[in-house]
């Protein structure tokens, strides 16, 4: 009777079961419609396009543990939480609080509580905190 590498079986089962939803979002002047990211589980990858760096993309409603990875091209955008007055991005809140995201930046936003998103940005080889929403 042969032996089975239990760790390999578990890893293969886990990896086979892991699917990452992907979405394309187009930033809008107020973040509505195509600018809003819908809740899609605990991990999703979002490709962002924007015609103007002042256009907005809105994160999904906060569920602790949710990770949203956003990648944009040649035009930056503004990132908001679903309730900017009460749900912060890197500690910043306000009626229309948003964080500026530069062109060609990947953002990893992690929901750490029902009122908090923590986000980092990667541009080229530079890793930095996303500016606090203001």
């Amino acid at each position: 009777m042969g032996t089975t590498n239990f760790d390999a079986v578990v890893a293969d089962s886990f990896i086979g079961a892991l699917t990452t939803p992907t979405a394309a979002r187009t930033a809008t002047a107020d973040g509505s419609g195509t600018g809003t990211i819908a809740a899609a589980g605990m991990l999703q990858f979002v490709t962002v396009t924007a015609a103007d760096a002042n256009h907005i993309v809105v994160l999904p409603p906060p569920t602790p543990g949710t990770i949203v990875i956003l990648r944009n091209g040649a035009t930056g955008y503004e990132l908001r939480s679903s309730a900017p007055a009460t749900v912060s991005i890197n500690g910043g809140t306000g009626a229309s609080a948003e964080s500026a995201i530069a062109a060609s930046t990947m953002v990893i936003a992690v929901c750490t509580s029902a009122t908090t998103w923590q986000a980092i940005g990667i541009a080229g080889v530079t890793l930095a905190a996303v500016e606090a929403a203001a």
Side-chain angles (χ1 to χ4, degrees):
M1 182 170 169
T3 61
T4 301
N5 182 333
F6 180 75
D7 290 339
V9 170
V10 170
D12 287 346
S13 296
F14 176 75
I15 291 169
L18 181 64
T19 58
T20 305
T22 60
R25 300 281 79 195
T26 300
T28 61
D30 63 0
S32 65
T34 62
T36 299
I37 301 169
M42 298 306 285
L43 174 65
Q44 66 176 303
F45 184 87
V46 179
T47 301
V48 175
T49 56
D52 183 308
N54 292 314
H55 284 183
I56 301 163
V57 170
V58 177
L59 289 165
T63 300
T66 298
I67 300 171
V68 179
I69 302 169
L70 304 104
R71 177 72 174 123
N72 65 320
T75 304
Y77 62 96
E78 302 287 346
L79 184 64
R80 278 191 187 165
S81 71
S82 58
T86 58
V87 178
S88 71
I89 297 175
N90 288 353
T93 59
S96 297
E98 56 200 24
S99 300
I101 307 300
S104 302
T105 299
M106 181 173 65
V107 171
I108 302 169
V110 180
C111 181
T112 57
S113 77
T115 59
T116 307
W117 285 92
Q118 297 291 315
I120 58 171
I122 303 170
V125 296
T126 303
L127 171 68
V130 167
E131 72 174 13

